Short mmCIF file of all heavy atoms in Angstrom, two decimals:
data_model
loop_
_atom_site.label_atom_id
_atom_site.label_comp_id
_atom_site.label_asym_id
_atom_site.label_seq_id
_atom_site.Cartn_x
_atom_site.Cartn_y
_atom_site.Cartn_z
N GLN A 28 -2.24 -9.07 25.45
CA GLN A 28 -3.53 -9.66 25.81
C GLN A 28 -4.45 -9.64 24.58
O GLN A 28 -5.14 -8.65 24.32
CB GLN A 28 -4.13 -8.79 26.94
CG GLN A 28 -5.31 -9.39 27.67
CD GLN A 28 -4.92 -10.60 28.50
OE1 GLN A 28 -3.85 -10.64 29.08
NE2 GLN A 28 -5.80 -11.60 28.52
N THR A 29 -4.39 -10.72 23.81
CA THR A 29 -5.24 -10.80 22.61
C THR A 29 -5.51 -12.26 22.31
O THR A 29 -5.05 -13.14 23.02
CB THR A 29 -4.55 -10.10 21.41
OG1 THR A 29 -5.50 -9.97 20.35
CG2 THR A 29 -3.33 -10.84 20.89
N SER A 30 -6.30 -12.52 21.27
CA SER A 30 -6.53 -13.91 20.87
C SER A 30 -6.61 -14.00 19.36
O SER A 30 -6.99 -13.02 18.69
CB SER A 30 -7.83 -14.44 21.48
OG SER A 30 -8.93 -13.77 20.89
N TRP A 33 -10.10 -13.09 18.21
CA TRP A 33 -10.39 -11.65 18.16
C TRP A 33 -9.77 -11.03 16.92
O TRP A 33 -10.42 -10.30 16.17
CB TRP A 33 -9.87 -10.95 19.42
CG TRP A 33 -10.39 -9.53 19.58
CD1 TRP A 33 -11.44 -9.13 20.33
CD2 TRP A 33 -9.86 -8.34 18.96
NE1 TRP A 33 -11.63 -7.77 20.21
CE2 TRP A 33 -10.67 -7.25 19.37
CE3 TRP A 33 -8.81 -8.08 18.08
CZ2 TRP A 33 -10.45 -5.94 18.95
CZ3 TRP A 33 -8.60 -6.77 17.65
CH2 TRP A 33 -9.42 -5.72 18.10
N ILE A 34 -8.50 -11.35 16.68
CA ILE A 34 -7.78 -10.72 15.54
C ILE A 34 -8.45 -11.12 14.23
O ILE A 34 -8.71 -10.27 13.37
CB ILE A 34 -6.28 -11.11 15.54
CG1 ILE A 34 -5.60 -10.63 16.83
CG2 ILE A 34 -5.57 -10.51 14.33
CD1 ILE A 34 -4.16 -11.13 17.02
N ARG A 37 -12.04 -9.43 13.90
CA ARG A 37 -12.05 -7.96 13.70
C ARG A 37 -11.27 -7.51 12.49
O ARG A 37 -11.51 -6.42 11.99
CB ARG A 37 -11.47 -7.25 14.93
CG ARG A 37 -12.15 -7.54 16.22
CD ARG A 37 -13.48 -6.81 16.32
NE ARG A 37 -14.15 -7.16 17.55
CZ ARG A 37 -14.55 -6.28 18.46
NH1 ARG A 37 -14.38 -5.00 18.27
NH2 ARG A 37 -15.15 -6.70 19.56
N THR A 38 -10.28 -8.31 12.03
CA THR A 38 -9.40 -7.81 10.96
C THR A 38 -9.23 -8.76 9.77
O THR A 38 -8.87 -8.32 8.69
CB THR A 38 -7.97 -7.55 11.50
OG1 THR A 38 -7.34 -8.81 11.78
CG2 THR A 38 -7.98 -6.71 12.77
N ALA A 112 1.40 7.64 3.65
CA ALA A 112 1.04 6.51 4.50
C ALA A 112 0.46 5.37 3.64
O ALA A 112 1.05 5.03 2.63
CB ALA A 112 0.10 6.96 5.62
N CYS A 113 -0.70 4.84 4.04
CA CYS A 113 -1.22 3.66 3.35
C CYS A 113 -1.69 3.96 1.92
O CYS A 113 -1.90 3.04 1.14
CB CYS A 113 -2.37 3.04 4.13
SG CYS A 113 -1.83 2.42 5.72
N MET A 143 7.04 -1.62 8.60
CA MET A 143 6.12 -1.10 9.62
C MET A 143 6.49 -1.61 11.01
O MET A 143 6.24 -0.95 12.02
CB MET A 143 4.67 -1.50 9.29
CG MET A 143 4.14 -0.95 7.98
SD MET A 143 4.29 0.84 7.87
CE MET A 143 2.95 1.36 8.90
N ARG A 152 -1.80 -3.54 21.97
CA ARG A 152 -2.55 -4.57 21.25
C ARG A 152 -3.49 -3.97 20.19
O ARG A 152 -3.93 -4.67 19.28
CB ARG A 152 -3.36 -5.43 22.23
CG ARG A 152 -4.49 -4.68 22.91
CD ARG A 152 -5.28 -5.59 23.82
NE ARG A 152 -6.42 -4.88 24.41
CZ ARG A 152 -7.35 -5.46 25.11
NH1 ARG A 152 -7.31 -6.76 25.33
NH2 ARG A 152 -8.34 -4.75 25.61
N GLY A 153 -3.79 -2.68 20.31
CA GLY A 153 -4.67 -2.03 19.34
C GLY A 153 -4.02 -1.81 17.98
O GLY A 153 -4.70 -1.64 16.97
N ILE A 156 -1.13 -5.84 16.25
CA ILE A 156 -1.69 -7.01 15.56
C ILE A 156 -1.93 -6.75 14.08
O ILE A 156 -2.20 -7.67 13.31
CB ILE A 156 -3.04 -7.42 16.21
CG1 ILE A 156 -3.99 -6.20 16.17
CG2 ILE A 156 -2.85 -7.90 17.64
CD1 ILE A 156 -5.43 -6.56 16.06
N LEU A 157 -1.88 -5.46 13.67
CA LEU A 157 -2.36 -5.09 12.34
C LEU A 157 -1.32 -5.11 11.23
O LEU A 157 -1.64 -5.40 10.09
CB LEU A 157 -2.94 -3.66 12.37
CG LEU A 157 -4.15 -3.43 13.28
CD1 LEU A 157 -4.49 -1.93 13.32
CD2 LEU A 157 -5.36 -4.21 12.76
N PHE A 158 -0.06 -4.77 11.57
CA PHE A 158 0.87 -4.40 10.51
C PHE A 158 1.91 -5.47 10.18
O PHE A 158 2.23 -6.32 11.00
CB PHE A 158 1.58 -3.09 10.88
CG PHE A 158 0.63 -1.92 10.97
CD1 PHE A 158 0.07 -1.55 12.19
CD2 PHE A 158 0.27 -1.23 9.83
CE1 PHE A 158 -0.82 -0.48 12.26
CE2 PHE A 158 -0.62 -0.16 9.89
CZ PHE A 158 -1.16 0.22 11.11
N LEU A 190 -4.52 9.26 13.61
CA LEU A 190 -3.57 8.26 13.11
C LEU A 190 -2.25 8.96 12.80
O LEU A 190 -2.16 9.73 11.85
CB LEU A 190 -4.16 7.61 11.84
CG LEU A 190 -3.35 6.54 11.12
CD1 LEU A 190 -2.96 5.40 12.05
CD2 LEU A 190 -4.14 6.00 9.95
N MET A 211 -3.09 5.19 17.02
CA MET A 211 -4.29 5.14 16.18
C MET A 211 -5.55 5.02 17.00
O MET A 211 -5.61 4.23 17.95
CB MET A 211 -4.19 3.94 15.23
CG MET A 211 -5.39 3.82 14.30
SD MET A 211 -5.19 2.55 13.05
CE MET A 211 -5.46 1.10 14.03
N GLY A 213 -8.49 3.45 16.44
CA GLY A 213 -8.90 2.46 15.44
C GLY A 213 -10.33 2.56 14.96
O GLY A 213 -10.59 2.57 13.75
N SER A 214 -11.29 2.68 15.90
CA SER A 214 -12.68 2.64 15.44
C SER A 214 -13.06 3.91 14.68
O SER A 214 -13.86 3.85 13.74
CB SER A 214 -13.63 2.35 16.61
OG SER A 214 -13.48 3.33 17.58
N VAL A 216 -10.91 5.66 12.80
CA VAL A 216 -10.26 5.49 11.49
C VAL A 216 -11.10 4.54 10.63
O VAL A 216 -11.34 4.78 9.45
CB VAL A 216 -8.82 4.94 11.65
CG1 VAL A 216 -8.18 4.65 10.30
CG2 VAL A 216 -7.95 5.92 12.43
N PHE A 217 -11.58 3.49 11.26
CA PHE A 217 -12.40 2.49 10.58
C PHE A 217 -13.61 3.13 9.91
O PHE A 217 -13.88 2.94 8.72
CB PHE A 217 -12.84 1.42 11.60
CG PHE A 217 -13.58 0.27 11.00
CD1 PHE A 217 -12.91 -0.90 10.68
CD2 PHE A 217 -14.94 0.33 10.77
CE1 PHE A 217 -13.59 -1.98 10.12
CE2 PHE A 217 -15.64 -0.74 10.21
CZ PHE A 217 -14.95 -1.90 9.90
N HIS A 248 -6.31 -1.52 -0.76
CA HIS A 248 -5.32 -1.48 0.31
C HIS A 248 -5.76 -2.51 1.35
O HIS A 248 -6.94 -2.57 1.71
CB HIS A 248 -5.25 -0.08 0.92
CG HIS A 248 -4.50 -0.05 2.21
ND1 HIS A 248 -3.23 -0.60 2.33
CD2 HIS A 248 -4.83 0.42 3.43
CE1 HIS A 248 -2.83 -0.45 3.58
NE2 HIS A 248 -3.78 0.15 4.27
N ALA A 250 -6.04 -3.36 4.71
CA ALA A 250 -5.98 -2.93 6.11
C ALA A 250 -6.80 -3.86 7.00
O ALA A 250 -6.38 -4.20 8.10
CB ALA A 250 -6.49 -1.50 6.26
N ASN A 251 -7.97 -4.25 6.49
CA ASN A 251 -8.92 -4.94 7.35
C ASN A 251 -9.99 -5.56 6.44
O ASN A 251 -10.56 -4.86 5.61
CB ASN A 251 -9.53 -3.90 8.30
CG ASN A 251 -10.49 -4.49 9.28
OD1 ASN A 251 -11.33 -5.32 8.93
ND2 ASN A 251 -10.38 -4.07 10.53
N ARG A 253 -12.96 -6.33 6.98
CA ARG A 253 -14.30 -5.72 7.10
C ARG A 253 -14.38 -4.43 6.29
O ARG A 253 -15.42 -4.14 5.68
CB ARG A 253 -14.62 -5.45 8.57
CG ARG A 253 -14.88 -6.74 9.36
CD ARG A 253 -15.35 -6.44 10.76
NE ARG A 253 -14.34 -5.77 11.54
CZ ARG A 253 -14.58 -4.82 12.45
NH1 ARG A 253 -15.81 -4.44 12.70
NH2 ARG A 253 -13.58 -4.28 13.13
N ILE A 254 -13.30 -3.65 6.24
CA ILE A 254 -13.30 -2.42 5.42
C ILE A 254 -13.38 -2.81 3.94
O ILE A 254 -14.13 -2.23 3.16
CB ILE A 254 -12.02 -1.57 5.68
CG1 ILE A 254 -11.96 -1.09 7.13
CG2 ILE A 254 -11.95 -0.38 4.71
CD1 ILE A 254 -10.68 -0.33 7.50
N ASN A 278 -1.39 -5.47 7.33
CA ASN A 278 -1.39 -4.17 6.67
C ASN A 278 0.06 -3.74 6.44
O ASN A 278 0.77 -3.42 7.39
CB ASN A 278 -2.13 -3.16 7.55
CG ASN A 278 -2.17 -1.76 6.95
OD1 ASN A 278 -1.47 -1.46 5.99
ND2 ASN A 278 -3.00 -0.91 7.52
N SER A 280 0.91 -1.15 4.66
CA SER A 280 0.87 0.27 4.30
C SER A 280 1.09 0.47 2.80
O SER A 280 0.39 -0.14 2.00
CB SER A 280 1.87 1.03 5.18
OG SER A 280 1.72 2.42 5.02
N PHE A 308 -6.83 4.04 1.68
CA PHE A 308 -7.11 5.07 2.67
C PHE A 308 -6.05 4.94 3.76
O PHE A 308 -5.71 3.82 4.16
CB PHE A 308 -8.51 4.83 3.28
CG PHE A 308 -8.87 5.84 4.33
CD1 PHE A 308 -9.49 7.03 3.99
CD2 PHE A 308 -8.58 5.60 5.68
CE1 PHE A 308 -9.81 7.97 4.96
CE2 PHE A 308 -8.90 6.53 6.65
CZ PHE A 308 -9.53 7.72 6.29
N GLY A 309 -5.53 6.06 4.24
CA GLY A 309 -4.51 5.94 5.29
C GLY A 309 -4.24 7.24 6.01
O GLY A 309 -4.95 8.24 5.83
N GLY A 310 -3.17 7.20 6.81
CA GLY A 310 -2.80 8.35 7.64
C GLY A 310 -2.66 9.61 6.81
O GLY A 310 -2.24 9.58 5.67
N1 ACO B 1 -7.19 -8.06 21.17
C1 ACO B 1 -8.23 -8.11 21.99
N2 ACO B 1 -8.98 -7.04 22.31
C2 ACO B 1 -8.62 -5.88 21.74
C3 ACO B 1 -7.51 -5.76 20.88
C4 ACO B 1 -6.78 -6.91 20.60
N3 ACO B 1 -5.71 -6.93 19.78
N4 ACO B 1 -7.41 -4.48 20.46
C5 ACO B 1 -8.40 -3.81 21.04
N5 ACO B 1 -9.14 -4.64 21.83
C6 ACO B 1 -10.31 -4.35 22.63
C7 ACO B 1 -10.42 -2.88 22.98
O1 ACO B 1 -9.64 -2.57 24.12
C8 ACO B 1 -11.89 -2.74 23.24
O2 ACO B 1 -12.17 -3.24 24.53
P1 ACO B 1 -13.26 -2.50 25.46
O3 ACO B 1 -14.56 -2.59 24.71
O4 ACO B 1 -13.19 -3.30 26.71
O5 ACO B 1 -12.75 -1.08 25.58
C9 ACO B 1 -12.53 -3.69 22.24
O6 ACO B 1 -11.49 -4.61 21.86
C10 ACO B 1 -13.04 -2.99 20.99
O7 ACO B 1 -12.05 -2.09 20.51
P2 ACO B 1 -12.24 -1.25 19.20
O8 ACO B 1 -10.99 -0.45 18.95
O9 ACO B 1 -13.53 -0.53 19.23
O10 ACO B 1 -12.32 -2.45 18.12
P3 ACO B 1 -12.68 -2.40 16.60
O11 ACO B 1 -13.79 -3.29 16.31
O12 ACO B 1 -12.77 -0.98 16.08
O13 ACO B 1 -11.38 -3.07 15.95
C11 ACO B 1 -9.42 -2.35 14.76
C12 ACO B 1 -10.11 -2.48 16.11
C13 ACO B 1 -9.21 -3.74 14.20
C14 ACO B 1 -8.09 -1.65 14.95
C15 ACO B 1 -10.31 -1.54 13.78
O14 ACO B 1 -10.76 -0.37 14.42
C16 ACO B 1 -9.61 -1.15 12.50
O15 ACO B 1 -9.30 -1.98 11.67
N6 ACO B 1 -9.42 0.16 12.28
C17 ACO B 1 -8.87 0.69 11.04
C18 ACO B 1 -7.40 0.43 10.89
C19 ACO B 1 -6.96 1.03 9.56
O16 ACO B 1 -7.57 0.80 8.55
N7 ACO B 1 -5.95 1.86 9.56
C20 ACO B 1 -5.74 2.60 8.30
C21 ACO B 1 -4.52 2.66 7.76
S1 ACO B 1 -3.12 2.59 8.81
C22 ACO B 1 -1.99 3.73 8.17
O17 ACO B 1 -2.32 4.63 7.45
C23 ACO B 1 -0.53 3.67 8.62
#
Side-chain angles (χ1 to χ4, degrees):
Q28 193 68 37
T29 191
S30 68
W33 192 97
I34 299 172
R37 303 285 177 124
T38 71
C113 296
M143 298 305 283
R152 68 177 183 172
I156 57 149
L157 298 173
F158 296 94
L190 179 55
M211 180 172 76
S214 58
V216 175
F217 185 96
H248 167 51
N251 183 316
R253 289 187 295 144
I254 297 176
N278 179 348
S280 189
F308 179 88

